[in-house]
Amino acid sequence: VQLQASGGGLVQAGGSLRLSCAASGRTFSNYYMAWFRQAPEKEREFVARIRSSGSTYYAESVKGRFTISRDNAKNTVYLQMNSLKPEDTAVYYCAAILGPTGSVATSYDYWGQGTQVTVSS
């Protein structure tokens, strides 16, 4: 599967952005999808994931502010980001795996190219 992330940009603290990740392939609905992010000189960290069933799981740092969702008819996963903070600044990546997994980046098989999110204070 190929992933194409989009929707990043520059926003002031307290603002919102919605990221999209479009996937190729006819079996998108079977994939576990996730968002990760990587700030300069930091390791890639888990943000949120959504199972093929639609159940979701979030990192504590974004819980209550971010919402992951998917539209299987459009082969797309979204990340709605509200109440953004400067510490949310990072390159955001979408990832996919066919089957159950957790929040470890190395367990995902497919990655998008990343989209930059910058939150100014």
Side-chain angles (χ1 to χ4, degrees):
V1 63
Q2 291 184 324
L3 305 176
Q4 181 75 33
S6 62
L10 174 64
V11 63
Q12 289 188 332
S16 298
L17 281 174
R18 188 176 82 155
L19 306 183
S20 299
C21 177
S24 64
R26 296 177 292 176
T27 60
F28 172 77
S29 60
N30 295 334
Y31 283 83
Y32 281 48
M33 303 296 298
W35 288 95
F36 289 79
R37 65 187 181 187
Q38 187 165 18
E41 300 184 0
K42 291 189 176 181
E43 292 188 354
R44 192 167 297 189
E45 66 171 354
F46 169 80
V47 175
R49 70 170 186 259
I50 185 166
R51 296 185 174 184
S52 53
S53 65
S55 65
T56 58
Y57 181 77
Y58 298 91
E60 284 297 324
S61 60
V62 306
K63 195 175 293 185
R65 300 188 297 124
F66 290 11
T67 302
I68 188 171
S69 61
R70 64 192 300 160
D71 185 336
N72 290 333
K74 295 182 178 180
N75 280 13
T76 302
V77 63
Y78 304 97
L79 186 68
Q80 177 67 44
M81 304 185 295
N82 299 327
S83 302
L84 282 161
K85 305 175 181 179
E87 51 264 43
D88 294 319
T89 295
V91 177
Y92 283 70
Y93 298 89
C94 58
I97 186 169
L98 188 61
T101 191
S103 308
V104 178
T106 53
S107 65
Y108 286 79
D109 294 327
Y110 305 98
W111 290 86
Q113 86 287 4
T115 184
Q116 176 71 48
V117 172
T118 302
V119 184
S120 62
S121 57

